[in-house]
Amino acid sequence: MSAQRLLVDIHTHVYLPRYAAFLRSRTSVPRIFTRTSPESGKPEERLLILDDEPSGGRPIGAQYWDRDEKLKFMDRHAIDVSVVSSANPWLDFLPAQTAHTLAGELNHDLETYCSTGPSLQQNLKRLYGFGLLPLVPGATTESLVSTVEQIASLPHLKGIIMGTRGVGKGLDDEALDPVWAALEKAGLVVFLHPHYGVDKNAWGEKENGHVLPLALGFPFETTIATTRLILSGVLDRYPNLRVLLAHSGGALPQLSSRLASCIAHDPLVASRLKHDARYYLGKLYFDAVAYGSEELGFVSDAIGRAEKYANAGASAAVSSAKGTDGTEKRRAGAKRMLFGTDHPFFPPLSATEKWKSVVENLEAIDGVYGWDEAEKGAVRGGNALALFNLGA
Amino acid sequence: MSAQRLLVDIHTHVYLPRYAAFLRSRTSVPRIFTRTSPESGKPEERLLILDDEPSGGRPIGAQYWDRDEKLKFMDRHAIDVSVVSSANPWLDFLPAQTAHTLAGELNHDLETYCSTGPSLQQNLKRLYGFGLLPLVPGATTESLVSTVEQIASLPHLKGIIMGTRGVGKGLDDEALDPVWAALEKAGLVVFLHPHYGVDKNAWGEKENGHVLPLALGFPFETTIATTRLILSGVLDRYPNLRVLLAHSGGALPQLSSRLASCIAHDPLVASRLKHDARYYLGKLYFDAVAYGSEELGFVSDAIGRAEKYANAGASAAVSSAKGTDGTEKRRAGAKRMLFGTDHPFFPPLSATEKWKSVVENLEAIDGVYGWDEAEKGAVRGGNALALFNLGA
């Protein structure tokens, strides 16, 4: 099979058995607990990962931890390779020493999960992984950097997944500079993923289940974290750092010109940055988990136009971009977008269905106006093989 | 001059003299206060509209209240007609009775501001307005509905501007149903505008001036409010209500397919709505205040595709949309987008410049890939003439 035809899922989660067991031992969120199902009368496990989660949390089962279930899901949807990451909230809630120890153990577990799994072809396994850092308040630089080095030494771990809190003060905290430096040096991809959303008071009093925190809160959190990363100059200081944004960067692409305008009207902030805010979108990677063709096409536009903003003020850049064919920028942007599923979240409503979330994201890629087969193939898998240096 | 060539600004604010005087009388936010300028040593007025606003608020001057300054700004940027609205935070902070009285007075003031201003041609003034409702906790239905009727009786007021709090519980509060009904009946456009953003803790500890609350907080707030409006069925119950979203709908277009997917995975919420979430974007109007061509093009895509989601599940809709030329949807969406400036905010850094925010938004319209001159002209002014029934 040509590498260009592979389907690679870079947004797919696992609660490793060690982590699931740990959640079962807890009595406060995050936790896994057993209750009697109101429908079947049988015992069922539920996962609670957010404070005040509606509906008593989510049903949880083998698809959350069992590698065979992951492979079955992959086979069902013709996914050749998955780069698996632990699901939120990772280690965020733990004391520093516990987080350090558990990160090391879980990284080893994930390496084993991948390395003992099936191969697709010579030099290409079906499973790779994103490791975990003990990113919690009180974590020492030594603990964080040594865990980066541990992950770099594990051949099937190709990056790390991280939330948005850093060691408690967000990702614009200078205390993280040695971590960015170590990640850049090790060539590990940083998968930036939300968990907290924004203040739940924003959702009001109406019962809307998980809809508002998941549909809006998650992407808002990613947007804020990435914007703070840009404003604090991290992407200027670590130009080779590779950051992959969950959920197609949330709202960052749509708000990026407004962001650039707000920065331009604030000389203090503007003077700190080397480039127009829109430039940095061309340095980032975006999963293609947006559920719509128009969204994906726009994200690729926002990436594809970035180079125009390398050195120019906004007006000059707009003018110079005017002559360009819109689909040329769009095709260029596709190079930094990567298929994902968000498995095992967004499960189908009945057990026999294909996962709607997967079908939608594949159809979305297929339907992007202005992408040729080359771009679609790259987003489905080619970009992932290149970004993670797989199968080379 | 052909009506199709007019430039109409539908997002342009005023603090009417009565309102500015009221803010000067206050000792807590929102307020206008006088301080000695650290630069010039002379007295200067500052406007504080947000709690904990950085830099001692914004400089404020005649451009905030003086009609001649508005007209000078319009002339400088070749804006033919402006539909002027009071700026945030409107009457939100007032007791119900004060809000009711002041709303009535300010609506009369704005009518005079428009009606005694210059005409562009027969049957077309240069100034029209959005009135105010006393939308505060404790407001009675009678107070709100009678103010709608007052505004409807003032010939130069073509709609109302409102924030996102309703009478204290947001826009998904059933207590507002009589207000929506009255607005729909009167044919008044609702201009939905943010003020509060989201929890300021989200911005972290780094000093970034107004950048994060304005660039991200404002559009997040609009996105949340509009989503809650959709989820509560207001757009199903009042299908002829015309709602215009500030800042191109914030992040709603980019998150709309994710929203649809989250709804589809929550049968309780899904069963409440008549349509896929994306359908409702085709019922809304969006200002073209997004500062970038790619953003505007995408917003028009999100509007233009809406009809595909009228009756179909998401997958069916994606398939049926596949054969469509992408620019066809894009041209269709342009019908619901309207030029705006956000004057007098985002002023130029020097007094002699053209306003960068205006130049950028005009260049953005000009540069949208797939829009012909017909669409560009419609967004610049034709759509506004039609929506507000001006010059007919």
Side-chain angles (χ1 to χ4, degrees):
Chain A
M1 183 183 276
S2 154
Q4 288 311 311
R5 297 285 184 83
L6 296 182
L7 186 60
V8 182
D9 181 1
I10 57 80
H11 189 155
T12 180
H13 299 298
V14 65
Y15 289 113
L16 289 163
R18 184 191 304 271
Y19 187 79
F22 185 75
L23 291 188
R24 281 190 196 95
S25 75
R26 289 175 51 84
T27 53
S28 59
V29 172
R31 61 187 288 231
I32 296 172
F33 67 100
T34 302
R35 70 169 192 188
T36 303
S37 164
E39 287 90 33
S40 69
K42 293 182 186 159
E44 62 168 13
E45 283 198 318
R46 306 284 292 187
L47 169 69
L48 270 174
I49 53 172
L50 298 166
D51 287 330
D52 308 304
E53 194 160 359
S55 334
R58 308 145 209 255
I60 187 171
Q63 76 274 26
Y64 279 75
W65 48 76
D66 187 325
R67 190 178 66 188
D68 286 342
E69 291 292 323
K70 181 71 79 186
L71 289 164
K72 264 197 258 176
F73 166 80
M74 290 167 63
D75 289 341
R76 185 165 191 183
H77 296 91
I79 295 166
D80 298 291
V81 176
S82 289
V83 189
V84 177
S85 50
S86 285
N88 48 302
W90 316 288
L91 308 169
D92 283 24
F93 52 96
L94 292 172
Q97 185 54 53
T98 315
H100 180 85
T101 305
L102 196 51
E105 292 168 349
L106 290 169
N107 290 332
H108 266 293
D109 289 353
L110 188 57
E111 171 64 21
T112 305
Y113 176 104
C114 301
S115 65
T116 63
S119 292
L120 192 71
Q121 59 193 45
Q122 202 186 0
N123 290 328
L124 188 60
K125 304 289 291 183
R126 295 198 66 191
L127 297 167
Y128 293 91
F130 289 101
L132 284 177
L133 300 184
L135 282 162
V136 297
T140 63
T141 300
E142 194 195 347
S143 156
L144 293 164
V145 170
S146 71
T147 310
V148 171
E149 288 164 359
Q150 180 217 14
I151 294 169
S153 76
L154 297 169
H156 295 85
L157 300 195
K158 299 297 180 181
I160 63 148
I161 184 166
M162 68 160 69
T164 63
R165 298 226 163 153
V167 292
K169 293 185 176 182
L171 302 185
D172 50 7
D173 181 355
E174 281 95 358
L176 296 176
D177 273 13
V179 181
W180 304 126
L183 289 163
E184 186 184 53
K185 188 179 162 203
L188 291 169
V189 174
V190 177
F191 183 18
L192 181 57
H193 194 287
H195 171 69
Y196 299 96
V198 294
D199 177 21
K200 68 183 161 44
N201 292 320
W203 314 131
E205 297 177 7
K206 286 269 175 301
E207 171 57 44
N208 288 307
H210 287 90
V211 171
L212 290 168
L214 282 184
L216 306 185
F218 262 37
F220 289 172
E221 181 187 356
T222 307
T223 307
I224 295 168
T226 311
T227 303
R228 287 172 57 181
L229 211 57
I230 292 170
L231 294 183
S232 65
V234 168
L235 301 180
D236 284 329
R237 290 200 296 287
Y238 304 99
N240 297 316
L241 187 66
R242 297 181 301 167
V243 178
L244 167 66
L245 302 181
H247 315 116
S248 299
L252 182 65
Q254 202 185 345
L255 302 181
S256 55
S257 289
R258 180 173 173 85
L259 175 63
S261 182
C262 287
I263 292 171
H265 286 87
D266 196 323
L268 259 177
V269 179
S271 66
R272 292 207 311 256
L273 294 179
K274 286 194 184 165
H275 307 279
D276 182 289
R278 287 165 279 200
Y279 169 78
Y280 300 98
L281 275 73
K283 295 288 152 189
L284 297 164
Y285 296 84
F286 298 75
D287 74 23
V289 183
Y291 307 93
S293 296
E294 290 77 13
E295 285 84 350
L296 295 183
F298 169 60
V299 173
S300 64
D301 289 347
I303 301 168
R305 76 180 174 191
E307 202 53 46
K308 308 266 178 206
Y309 294 99
N311 298 303
S315 295
V318 170
S319 303
S320 75
K322 261 181 66 181
T324 319
D325 179 337
T327 60
E328 192 179 308
K329 277 180 290 178
R330 176 163 289 198
R331 285 195 300 273
K335 292 194 181 68
R336 288 177 171 268
M337 299 177 67
L338 302 89
F339 170 70
T341 63
D342 223 341
H343 180 264
F345 299 101
F346 299 89
L349 300 176
S350 87
T352 54
E353 291 172 65
K354 271 204 176 184
W355 288 43
K356 181 179 167 68
S357 51
V358 182
V359 173
E360 277 178 358
N361 279 316
L362 283 173
E363 288 187 343
I365 293 169
D366 198 40
V368 174
Y369 177 73
W371 280 0
D372 297 331
E373 271 312 309
E375 284 77 40
K376 293 174 188 175
V379 174
R380 288 189 196 110
N383 293 339
L385 297 180
L387 178 63
F388 297 103
N389 194 29
L390 303 180
Chain B
M1 184 184 277
S2 154
Q4 288 311 312
R5 298 286 183 85
L6 295 182
L7 186 60
V8 182
D9 181 1
I10 57 80
H11 189 155
T12 179
H13 299 298
V14 65
Y15 288 113
L16 289 163
R18 185 190 303 271
Y19 187 78
F22 186 76
L23 292 188
R24 281 191 197 96
S25 75
R26 289 175 51 82
T27 53
S28 59
V29 173
R31 61 187 288 232
I32 295 171
F33 68 99
T34 302
R35 71 171 191 187
T36 303
S37 162
E39 287 90 32
S40 69
K42 293 181 186 161
E44 62 168 14
E45 284 198 317
R46 307 283 292 189
L47 169 69
L48 270 174
I49 54 173
L50 298 166
D51 288 328
D52 307 306
E53 194 160 0
S55 336
R58 308 144 211 255
I60 188 171
Q63 75 273 25
Y64 279 75
W65 48 76
D66 187 324
R67 189 178 67 187
D68 287 342
E69 290 293 322
K70 182 71 79 186
L71 290 164
K72 263 197 260 177
F73 165 80
M74 290 167 63
D75 290 340
R76 185 164 189 183
H77 297 91
I79 295 166
D80 298 293
V81 176
S82 289
V83 189
V84 177
S85 49
S86 284
N88 49 300
W90 316 288
L91 309 168
D92 282 24
F93 52 95
L94 292 173
Q97 187 52 55
T98 315
H100 181 85
T101 306
L102 196 51
E105 293 168 347
L106 290 169
N107 290 333
H108 266 295
D109 290 352
L110 187 57
E111 171 64 21
T112 305
Y113 176 104
C114 301
S115 65
T116 63
S119 292
L120 192 71
Q121 58 194 44
Q122 202 186 359
N123 290 328
L124 188 60
K125 304 289 289 183
R126 294 198 67 190
L127 297 168
Y128 293 91
F130 289 101
L132 284 177
L133 300 183
L135 281 162
V136 298
T140 62
T141 300
E142 193 196 349
S143 156
L144 292 165
V145 170
S146 72
T147 310
V148 171
E149 288 164 357
Q150 179 215 16
I151 293 169
S153 77
L154 296 169
H156 296 85
L157 301 195
K158 300 297 179 182
I160 63 147
I161 184 166
M162 68 160 67
T164 62
R165 297 227 164 152
V167 292
K169 294 184 175 182
L171 302 185
D172 50 6
D173 181 354
E174 281 95 358
L176 296 177
D177 273 13
V179 182
W180 304 127
L183 289 164
E184 185 184 54
K185 186 178 163 205
L188 291 169
V189 174
V190 177
F191 183 18
L192 180 57
H193 194 286
H195 171 70
Y196 299 97
V198 293
D199 177 21
K200 68 181 160 45
N201 292 320
W203 313 132
E205 297 177 7
K206 285 269 173 304
E207 170 58 42
N208 289 307
H210 285 90
V211 170
L212 291 167
L214 282 183
L216 307 185
F218 263 37
F220 289 172
E221 181 186 356
T222 307
T223 307
I224 294 168
T226 311
T227 303
R228 287 172 57 180
L229 210 58
I230 292 170
L231 293 183
S232 65
V234 168
L235 301 179
D236 284 328
R237 291 200 295 287
Y238 305 99
N240 297 316
L241 187 65
R242 299 181 298 167
V243 178
L244 168 66
L245 302 181
H247 315 115
S248 298
L252 182 65
Q254 201 184 345
L255 302 181
S256 56
S257 288
R258 180 173 173 85
L259 175 63
S261 182
C262 288
I263 293 171
H265 286 87
D266 195 323
L268 259 177
V269 179
S271 66
R272 292 206 311 256
L273 294 179
K274 286 195 184 166
H275 306 279
D276 182 290
R278 286 165 281 199
Y279 169 78
Y280 299 98
L281 274 71
K283 295 287 152 191
L284 298 164
Y285 296 85
F286 297 75
D287 75 22
V289 183
Y291 307 94
S293 295
E294 291 77 13
E295 285 84 350
L296 295 183
F298 169 60
V299 172
S300 64
D301 289 347
I303 301 167
R305 76 180 174 191
E307 202 53 46
K308 308 267 176 204
Y309 296 98
N311 298 303
S315 295
V318 170
S319 303
S320 75
K322 261 182 65 180
T324 319
D325 179 336
T327 60
E328 193 180 308
K329 279 180 289 177
R330 176 163 288 198
R331 284 195 301 272
K335 292 194 181 67
R336 288 178 171 265
M337 299 178 66
L338 302 89
F339 170 70
T341 63
D342 223 341
H343 181 263
F345 299 101
F346 299 89
L349 300 177
S350 85
T352 53
E353 291 172 65
K354 271 205 176 185
W355 289 42
K356 180 180 168 69
S357 50
V358 182
V359 173
E360 277 178 357
N361 279 316
L362 283 172
E363 287 188 342
I365 293 168
D366 198 40
V368 174
Y369 178 71
W371 279 1
D372 296 331
E373 270 311 308
E375 284 78 39
K376 293 174 189 175
V379 175
R380 287 189 198 110
N383 292 339
L385 297 179
L387 178 63
F388 298 103
N389 194 27
L390 303 180

